[in-house]
Structure formats: C-alpha cells, structure tokens
Amino acid sequence: MSKQLVSAEELQRRTLSFLKNYFLIDEHNDRESYYALTPADIKKYPYTACGIALNLFIDGELTKADRFIDALPDEGEYTYMKIGLKIVNPRITWKEFIDTLKFLRASNLSVGFVTLTAGRPAILNGFNDFSRIGPFLKKHKTEFVENLSCLYEPSVCPSIYNQCLAEYYYQINRLIDAEVLVSRTIKEFNKDSEHRLLFTALYLQTKIFIAYGRTVDPESYIKHIQQYIEETGTAEFSYNLDSAEVMTAFYEGERKIISSWFKNNAPDEYGNFNMLDTYRYLVKMRCYIITNNYTSLIALAEKLRPLLEEGRRHMDLCEIDLLLSIAFYRAEKKELAIEAFDRAIKIARRRRYYRLIADEGCAVLNVLIDYIKQKGESEFLMELLEMTRNMAISHPRYLKAELKNDATFNQKEVEILKLLEQGKSRDEIAEYFFISENTVNFHVKKLYLKLEATSVTQAVWNARVLGII
C-alpha cells in the first residue's frame, strides 16, 4: 500500500520547521510528497522548492538538483533560498563556499541552516576536508571568522574557526596543535550550549586520543551528547552518534558494540539508499571487512563511487579505495589491492590526508609495505609508514577479522588458554590437569586450528580479541 502524500501546505510548514531545527532525516521521509509537487504548488508555497532540492541532494541527484535550482526565479524568497541551497550543495568547492560567504556578508544576509549529516560528523556541510584551505585559514583568520557569522551566531564563530583549523592540523599529523585547539572548542561549545558543534569537537578529540595510542571507551564521548538529546529532543547530529561509537569500538575490539550495530542499526544499501548515510556506509564497509564479506563491501563501494565523484567528496573517495585495498589484500588479490591503494595514495598525497591513511593502522600496514616495495621509497611514503606502524602497534585489535570457522571452545580448552596466557609451560599445564604432556600438545594443536594461529602468542592474542579469555 503506497504512502499517503502530504499536502503542499503541510510540506511548506515542515520545510520551515526544518530550517529552524535541522531535522534533515525527517525532511527525507517526505521525499515522495515533495517529488509529487506541481509547478503551481511550488509557486503557491515557495519554500517547498527548498525541500525538493534537499531531497535531490540526499538522493545523490546532484545534476537534477542543479537544474531544478537554476530554474527557480531570481526574485523574492527564491533569491535567499538559492543562496542557502548553494552552500549546502554537496559538490560546492571551497572557493565557491568562501565566495558565497563573502557575498552574504557584503549583502548583510545570513543563512540559518548548515547541515552536519551530509557525510561525516564535521562542522560545515558534512565537510571534513580542511587540508586544502589550511593555509588560507591560517592567513585569513579575521576574514574567515567574520564570514562565518552568515551561518552561525557571531559568538561561536572564533571557536568554529579553531575547530576547522584543528581538523586541518589533525590530517597533517600535527596532533599537539590539533589537541590544543579542539580542547578550547569543547570548552566554548559547552559554555554556549552548542551541542550540535560539540559533537564534532568531541569526535575529533577522540580520534586524536586514538592516534596517540590511548585506550578509549567507545561510549565515553557519546554519553554527554546522548544526555543532551534526551533533555532537548532529537538533533540532526544524533543520526551519526551510534556509527561514531562503532568507529571507536573497532580500535578497542569491542565486538558486542560492533555486532549489535551491524545487525540492528547499520543502513541498508539495498533499501532506502541515500547520501545522508555516507559516513554510516563507510562504517558498515569495515563491518564487512571483519566478517570477511568482501563481495558486499565491493558492491557498496562501487555504488557510492559515482555519487561521491559527482559530489567531489575526495576524502570519502580516498577512504573507499583504502578499504577496498584492505579487502582485496585479505582476499589474497594483491594486484587489485595495490591498484586500489595507489588510487587512495594519489588522493592522499595531493590533499595531505596523512591521518586518513595512517588511522587504518594494522589493517593497511602490509598493503603499504608491499606498495613501497613495488613503487620505491619516498619521503611521503616513509613518513606515512612510520605513522601507520605506530597505529598498528598501539591498536592491534583494529579491524581484526572474525574466524572463518564457527569454532566453539570447551571448558578445558578455555582453561588451557588462560594458563598459556599466564606463561605456563606445557609440562606445568599437564601437572594442573593430571594429564600427559602429549595430551596437552594435542589440545594446543586443536586450539591452533580453531584460532587460526601458528604460535602460543598468536593463539592467546586471538582468544583475547574474540573474548574467549
């Protein structure tokens, strides 16, 4: 049974409500109703045009969205609306973005909606790619802060500038500088109750902690935001909260959090596919890696690629090829792995995505080593290797694949694993159970097979990661 369409008058009311409250997901729930509007409906209720354009953005129909927006008249409410839609267009370049801010400021106009869910948990229109404008930010702080007042309250604009600069410093691996700035923004966003901005700052701070090799509770920075949502109602950034928690859980090997999200909350790319799920799709691709489901990962990557290319989402494209290289390498398709990694490296080198590569740590280390052997050493690659190796050492549980078999472990096997973990010799273990050393060797051999290990150290480690001991 088809869903009943919402009237044009009600859609206008909902669109105006969205522009104040940022509920972009709710806007997408009405997509069929927006697409059914006639030119007469739009003329009578002009703000419904904004809803149509936003839904076209979400559906990845960027060319169609541009044509629709260009066809709107340059008069009255449409003039202001078209400027706002230009800012949130996923494929706007940084030059166009900054030029539009300058125009708004010169015209003494402001736009009250800047979406945060159009990709990554980032501070401006889903962007998390400040590497290209980092030098501009440093040279033109005053101008940038003043221009931001067209989008945000002037009091928080200096903190937003610091957050943008912190994300730039993070990508080029200036972690101390990034941490100093993000700590300031967290304090200011907390003070000003800017929780939709606080989420992006806390997310970046967590990434910095992980890069330093610290152990991070996957729920630690989420709890404060969840409490805010419970007190004030749903906010647009809440859509990415659970997937951001899962990203942290990958580094700590928190299987329960990952498995629960993958089973119950991961987006369905075969269902209502939309570009608001870009970040969530990238998280799901990692779930496919640890479950050895490489076919599904490849299919999702290639479904996203043309949409991301059209939207000029360079960071997302780099990440997709990075994840593909990991999947191909684990599937023993090394030639395809190197090809995918080469595409990722070319983007990363040009746009200075040091941390985007290095943050994959142990999952991508062997691919990087083989790539260097084939392509030769360079200052960029060797610096990247050192950063990636440090992550691999600090977070060895990251994207650890599940066992290919469905092994189960009886009580004696678990007890033997615990004794091996304590450094007991096989002779000592034999005494514990009043059995021969040959029998212990038999049990250990079975454990090796079940845990896909070739040494005691590897068997114990795999058992820890899987939560057996």
Side-chain angles (χ1 to χ4, degrees), residues 403-408:
L403 296 180
K404 295 176 183 177
N405 56 54
D406 297 321
T408 57

Side-chain angles (χ1 to χ4, degrees), residues 12 43 48 50 126 180 194 224 321 331 370 395 414 429 438:
Q12 168 115 323
K43 186 175 182 180
T48 58
C50 183
V180 169
E194 283 285 350
H224 179 77
D321 279 323
D370 279 4
H395 303 285
V414 173
I429 293 173
N438 284 338

Side-chain angles (χ1 to χ4, degrees), residues 20 38 54 58 64 79 93 118 120 197 225 233 236 248 264 301 304 306 328 333 379 403 405 425 442 450 466:
K20 297 176 183 177
T38 66
L54 288 170
I58 295 168
K64 190 180 292 186
T79 303
T93 66
R120 299 168 176 275
L197 303 177
I225 301 297
E236 93 286 354
T248 307
N264 303 311
L304 282 169
F328 284 136
K333 303 290 183 182
E379 184 178 348
L403 296 180
N405 56 54
S425 68
F442 173 76
K450 290 182 178 183
L466 294 170

Side-chain angles (χ1 to χ4, degrees), residues 18-31:
F18 155 71
L19 297 182
K20 297 176 183 177
N21 299 306
Y22 308 95
F23 297 154
L24 198 52
I25 296 299
D26 293 341
E27 191 83 344
H28 196 238
N29 290 336
D30 294 325
R31 60 195 294 270

Side-chain angles (χ1 to χ4, degrees), residues 25 58 87 120 147 163 185 202 222 233 269 339-340 345 349 376 390 408 457:
I25 296 299
I58 295 168
I87 287 178
R120 299 168 176 275
N147 289 336
Q163 174 70 12
T185 63
L202 288 171
I222 301 293
E269 61 267 34
E339 286 179 9
I345 282 291
R349 191 197 306 267
N390 289 339
T408 57
T457 302

Side-chain angles (χ1 to χ4, degrees), residues 185-231:
T185 63
I186 289 171
K187 181 179 179 181
E188 292 302 315
F189 292 155
N190 246 328
K191 183 177 71 176
D192 294 329
S193 298
E194 283 285 350
H195 290 84
R196 66 194 180 105
L197 303 177
L198 178 63
F199 171 46
T200 67
L202 288 171
Y203 179 73
L204 178 59
Q205 186 180 61
T206 300
K207 290 171 66 178
I208 294 170
F209 288 163
I210 291 171
Y212 271 130
R214 301 183 196 175
T215 299
V216 178
D217 177 1
E219 298 179 344
S220 59
Y221 72 103
I222 301 293
K223 291 176 181 175
H224 179 77
I225 301 297
Q226 287 175 329
Q227 182 180 354
Y228 166 76
I229 291 172
E230 290 172 3
E231 292 172 354

